[in-house]
Amino acid sequence: MTTHATGGGQPTGQTDGTDDRDGTSPGGTAAPTSGRTDAAAPASAGSGRTGLGDTDATTGGSVDHEPTDDAQMANPDSAKTAGKDTSAGHPIDDAQVGTADPAKAGSAGAATARTDDAGASDTTDAKPTTAASDGAPGGKKPTKPAADAGQNDATGAKVTTGAAAASDGEQDEKAADAKRAKTATDAKATTGTKTASDGERGGKTGDAGDGKKKDGDGEPPDRWSAFAPAPEPVPGRPRRAVRAVGRLLVHEWTLAAFASLALAVAMTWPTLRYPLYTLPQDYWDPSLQAWQMAWSGHALRTEPAQLFHSNTFFPEQWSFAFSDMLLGYAPAGMIGTGPEAAVLRYNIMFVLAHALATFGAYALARQLGAGRAGAAVAGIGYTYAPWLLAQAGHLHIVSNGGIPLALAMLARGHGWSLRYGYRPERRHEGWTYTGWMVAAWQLSLGFGIGLPFAYVLAGTVLVAATTWFLRRWVIRPVKRPFGTRLLVADLVGGLLFAGVGALLAIPYFKVADLHPNAARTLADIGIYSPPALGFFTAPAESRVWGGLHEGARATLPWHPEMTLLPGYVLYALAAGGVFFSVWRLRHRLLLLAGVLVTMVLAMGTRFFDGTFTYGLLFEYLPGWNGLRTPGRMMLWTTLLLGLLAAGAVSALAQRVSEIAAERAPYRPSPWLRVAVLLPVLLVLAEGLNATPHPVVPEQPVAMRTVDGPMLVLPSSQNLDQPVMLWSTSTFPDVVNGGSGFTPTQLDEVRRVTLAFPDQTSVDYLRTLGVRNVVLLRDQIVGTPWEVTVNSPVDQLGITREEVGDAVVFRL
């Protein structure tokens, strides 16, 4: 509301608390002013409220008061009842709370005298203002202090009081009440305000604002609440659990695990097409390893003390340690019995081993700082390198996923990344413990690849210990640079790993003592050492390069262990990664040096006779002389090549993101997406296989019914391995067996029984404790037994019985 008042007695140039823009006429007459003024405006002259440097309304002089109302100082009681604003820069007007100095108040007091309880309510953000003009000189004393005037409720509306400037201070109280009511209406005050005249007037003024009815706590209902969105309901425990599962399912590591598993099924196909009847590559070594898993589960379930004394190679002791034991798969071996269950178990673990290798290498590359596309290249290249297709029949070589996974977990636990270096705030002892346990599990699968892994970990620990010593005592001494708990985790985890290795090594030391012929020489290593041509030759199982490299394979002395091509695409990407990568230059050079060193070691004695390379490890590292095939060092070459390639692909993906960021809107073009995806597809294409999956020979009926100890004829390295698989029905003691070496006694048995049945062979077998001999008719064609199988046996004191397709001789 605006009010008009004449200011005849007002001195020239005196204003109502505003600047020239408030409409004051030059002649000294107050122009119409708004009843609503900003609370942040300067204090009104003549109101009795002065701040530092404020101008006195009457004299124009400068006063030096604190920003506190005179009314509060002169009349503390009224100051208590006033709704004063104590915030900085907004002192309360004297006109609102009353003043003790009539000379200062002027006629403004008369205009605001009857404002007791006008518009009063509890508020937190209302901004009371005064629009009163300057009082006339010698103005009259106000008839009544104005307490609680000008306050508003929690709606934040601005209520103004004493809006008119009186010239002679003789306005009656009734006119003041009417003006106040009209002002409250214009300001849309939303509280039911009372206006009283010294207790003579009362009653409700109704709803001064919009006429709406107040709710129970004195606050008006929000008329816009009907349009507000409904509050989101608090989810219950089942819904929260579902959401948590949903977040877990879309997590990067969950997606990576599922993708690795799906890729393993596709890339190893048709392994799971007939998983009860076929084995990948051949049924010789896979039959041996299927039996190993079955025996470990059977022994741990029935007689754990006989774990290393298996039912094969009877009557030899420690026979389970004649080759890598795959002991880490023993829990799977506890499920199911018989050859079909063993074959199914092998095929499942074969696929899972590929999935774990892909996931482990992916996790390692990601932990070291590679992007997703780069990590995918590292994971796929590590698992499906062409040279590994020749190892499809060696589950203990294919089961290598624990190596990169353990390294990734240990790096995560130590807060270390190849790209970002050592970050102490990211250390986590739980990952360290888990990494050591995974490493111990990997070692339990076999020393063929586990022993080099153990030495790599030992070298890493040595470097870390040296670094710790230097950081602690020599270079920039830092108290506990790795943290006490992390150091304890490494000590405990390292002892666990070493303990598992020591326990597994005991039976192998026993075998070495009992069978000196099991020891290998450098000449034996030379038979399996590949030439440099092997690094560029693919095995026959490679669908892309197998047929093209047939001539090159023919020049290799033992091509199953000498075709070591990791993939031409991987070579190219790794070479590009030396020059263009997210890794630092020194890290690229270290990775390149690792590639070259491992390739030299993979050549065995072919690199200058191995005198200063593989020969040194063979002579001085414990257990290294038990490794037969140096070409399996290509596992480390492939991993390092994959990390170099991951750096290059990650840099490419990063550049694509930068280019896409310059586009509007932010969106990579299809060609840029293909550029990032193409390396992954090419590496994957080189891993396509043409691996045969032959049907496993059916178990003879005699193997389920005849008791042991028994001998199955004919006997040889390859023929005995299916016999081991057939024995998984009841695990009878059998003389047969196939492994990394042939015991002297088994050689003797095979030589003596070539004339079976005769008196010499019968007596010899009785001496060993053999009770039954099973002669398989479908395998004796072209052997001496083809003639002697029907010879008379009465004079030998034995009996002969036809059981299915076999002839059983009971001794």
Side-chain angles (χ1 to χ4, degrees):
M1 158 186 169
T2 58
T3 58
H4 300 271
T6 59
Q10 185 176 13
T12 303
Q14 199 171 28
T15 66
D16 62 349
T18 61
D19 58 15
D20 292 339
R21 288 172 295 178
D22 63 357
T24 304
S25 62
T29 304
T33 59
S34 172
R36 298 177 60 185
T37 61
D38 190 358
S44 299
S47 66
R49 181 186 67 170
T50 57
L52 290 177
D54 286 346
T55 303
D56 189 284
T58 306
T59 65
S62 175
V63 295
D64 200 13
H65 293 167
E66 291 293 327
T68 305
D69 294 332
D70 295 337
Q72 296 178 14
M73 300 170 63
N75 190 354
D77 291 336
S78 65
K80 290 179 183 179
T81 59
K84 59 184 177 180
D85 184 356
T86 60
S87 61
H90 296 284
I92 305 298
D93 292 333
D94 294 337
Q96 293 175 324
V97 297
T99 179
D101 191 354
K104 290 183 178 181
S107 60
T112 59
R114 302 301 299 249
T115 57
D116 289 352
D117 299 328
S121 66
D122 291 336
T123 179
T124 57
D125 58 348
K127 299 180 181 178
T129 58
T130 303
S133 301
D134 302 321
K140 301 195 177 200
K141 182 177 180 180
T143 58
K144 190 173 181 65
D148 300 329
Q151 292 200 9
N152 192 13
D153 64 355
T155 60
K158 297 179 182 178
V159 182
T160 59
T161 60
S167 60
D168 55 2
E170 296 180 357
Q171 272 186 295
D172 59 3
E173 297 169 356
K174 222 169 179 183
D177 290 343
K179 291 177 181 180
R180 283 194 302 274
K182 195 169 188 314
T183 300
T185 303
D186 291 344
K188 296 192 177 193
T190 57
T191 58
T193 312
K194 293 181 183 179
T195 50
S197 171
D198 289 335
E200 298 174 0
R201 293 183 61 195
K204 299 179 183 177
T205 61
D207 217 343
D210 53 7
K212 300 289 184 181
K213 185 179 180 181
K214 296 190 298 181
D215 47 17
D217 58 357
E219 299 230 358
D222 187 359
R223 58 183 174 181
W224 301 104
S225 60
F227 300 94
E232 184 177 356
V234 178
R237 183 173 298 178
R239 186 179 294 274
R240 291 198 302 269
V242 171
R243 290 182 178 179
V245 172
R247 288 192 298 269
L248 177 63
L249 291 178
V250 297
H251 195 276
E252 177 185 356
W253 299 118
T254 305
L255 296 177
F258 287 149
S260 299
L261 183 59
L263 195 62
V265 173
M267 294 296 288
T268 60
W269 192 260
T271 298
L272 295 183
R273 185 177 183 181
Y274 303 109
L276 292 172
Y277 311 107
T278 63
L279 286 171
Q281 197 173 54
D282 56 55
Y283 54 78
W284 298 319
D285 283 351
S287 294
L288 162 66
Q289 291 155 356
W291 165 83
Q292 287 174 326
M293 286 188 284
W295 168 256
S296 61
H298 169 76
L300 293 178
R301 191 173 60 243
T302 56
E303 294 181 278
Q306 298 298 314
L307 173 64
F308 298 108
H309 309 293
S310 72
N311 68 311
T312 59
F313 296 98
F314 178 84
E316 298 285 357
Q317 299 294 304
W318 306 99
S319 57
F320 194 47
F322 285 179
S323 59
D324 282 341
M325 296 179 288
L326 291 174
L327 193 58
Y329 289 150
M334 297 181 180
I335 304 173
T337 58
E340 287 188 354
V343 171
L344 175 63
R345 185 185 304 116
Y346 180 93
N347 286 322
I348 291 176
M349 300 312 297
F350 181 77
V351 174
L352 291 179
H354 284 79
L356 181 62
T358 305
F359 181 81
Y362 178 89
L364 177 60
R366 287 290 284 157
Q367 172 59 33
L368 295 182
R372 292 184 177 89
V377 167
I380 295 171
Y382 176 74
T383 308
Y384 303 105
W387 77 273
L388 277 169
L389 296 175
Q391 305 294 327
H394 300 145
L395 184 60
H396 62 296
I397 304 301
V398 175
S399 300
N400 52 54
I403 293 176
L405 184 60
L407 293 176
M409 290 178 171
L410 290 173
R412 173 67 179 86
H414 289 77
W416 187 82
S417 169
L418 189 65
R419 189 174 182 180
Y420 306 108
Y422 175 58
R423 293 177 288 181
E425 69 278 3
R426 290 179 174 263
R427 295 177 305 190
H428 196 291
E429 296 77 20
W431 284 112
T432 303
Y433 284 113
T434 307
W436 282 111
M437 287 190 290
V438 172
W441 172 80
Q442 177 66 56
L443 188 63
S444 71
L445 294 177
F447 284 107
I449 61 173
L451 189 65
F453 177 47
Y455 280 114
V456 169
L457 284 180
T460 304
V461 170
L462 180 62
V463 171
T466 303
T467 304
W468 180 87
F469 177 80
L470 294 176
R471 289 289 304 275
R472 180 67 178 87
W473 301 105
V474 182
I475 304 173
R476 293 181 301 169
V478 178
K479 186 178 182 181
R480 296 189 298 274
F482 294 152
T484 303
R485 292 189 297 178
L486 185 59
L487 185 61
V488 171
D490 281 326
L491 290 175
V492 173
L495 289 175
L496 170 66
F497 180 81
V500 170
L503 290 174
L504 292 175
I506 291 175
Y508 289 99
F509 286 127
K510 293 286 187 180
V511 170
D513 292 338
L514 295 173
H515 304 277
N517 64 315
R520 294 183 172 91
T521 64
L522 273 177
D524 298 328
I525 302 301
I527 297 175
Y528 299 99
S529 297
L533 178 64
F535 298 121
F536 303 95
T537 306
E541 290 82 1
S542 173
R543 184 173 295 276
V544 177
W545 304 114
L548 297 174
H549 292 179
E550 184 176 358
R553 285 195 303 273
T555 64
L556 300 176
W558 183 248
H559 67 82
E561 297 290 351
M562 295 183 181
T563 50
L564 303 179
L565 175 68
Y568 290 112
V569 176
L570 196 62
Y571 274 145
L573 292 175
V578 175
F579 304 98
F580 177 70
S581 177
V582 295
W583 313 131
R584 295 183 176 90
L585 178 60
R586 65 175 183 273
H587 294 153
R588 289 179 250 165
L589 296 179
L590 286 174
L591 290 173
L592 179 61
V595 168
L596 297 177
V597 168
T598 53
M599 291 178 77
V600 167
L601 293 177
M603 294 179 68
T605 60
R606 290 296 185 109
F607 189 83
F608 298 103
D609 297 329
T611 304
F612 301 104
T613 56
Y614 197 89
L616 292 177
L617 304 182
F618 185 89
E619 294 291 342
Y620 297 106
L621 287 185
W624 202 274
N625 56 1
L627 303 181
R628 182 184 63 175
T629 52
R632 292 171 184 174
M633 288 297 296
M634 276 299 293
L635 194 68
W636 293 94
T637 305
T638 307
L639 182 60
L640 296 175
L641 286 172
L643 293 179
L644 274 174
V649 176
S650 298
L652 174 63
Q654 181 175 314
R655 180 58 183 151
V656 166
S657 297
E658 293 172 356
I659 295 175
E662 299 172 358
R663 298 166 57 91
Y666 176 82
R667 184 178 59 191
S669 68
W671 292 111
L672 292 177
R673 295 178 186 272
V674 170
V676 176
L677 189 60
L678 186 61
V680 180
L681 297 178
L682 291 177
V683 171
L684 191 64
E686 275 199 299
L688 294 175
N689 76 89
T691 305
H693 287 72
V695 177
V696 180
E698 187 177 355
Q699 180 191 34
V701 177
M703 294 298 297
R704 297 194 296 267
T705 59
V706 177
D707 297 331
M710 70 170 71
L711 171 66
V712 180
L713 295 176
S715 175
S716 67
Q717 171 74 12
N718 288 339
L719 294 176
D720 282 1
Q721 289 171 335
V723 173
M724 300 170 77
L725 175 62
W726 294 335
S727 71
T728 56
S729 292
T730 57
F731 292 98
D733 290 332
V734 295
V735 179
N736 307 73
S739 67
F741 79 101
T742 303
T744 303
Q745 182 174 280
L746 183 55
D747 266 340
E748 184 70 13
V749 168
R750 289 171 179 170
R751 184 184 62 80
V752 171
T753 58
L754 284 175
F756 183 86
D758 66 341
Q759 193 64 51
T760 301
S761 60
V762 170
D763 292 343
Y764 179 74
L765 292 176
R766 283 173 175 170
T767 302
L768 295 179
V770 177
R771 297 173 56 186
N772 298 293
V773 176
V774 178
L775 193 62
L776 303 177
R777 286 187 177 274
D778 59 347
Q779 295 183 7
I780 63 176
V781 177
T783 68
W785 297 290
E786 187 177 9
V787 177
T788 60
V789 66
N790 296 320
S791 299
V793 296
D794 296 340
Q795 70 276 14
L796 300 177
I798 64 175
T799 61
R800 180 171 54 203
E801 179 185 0
E802 296 284 342
V803 179
D805 292 337
V807 181
V808 178
F809 297 89
R810 303 189 184 275
L811 308 184

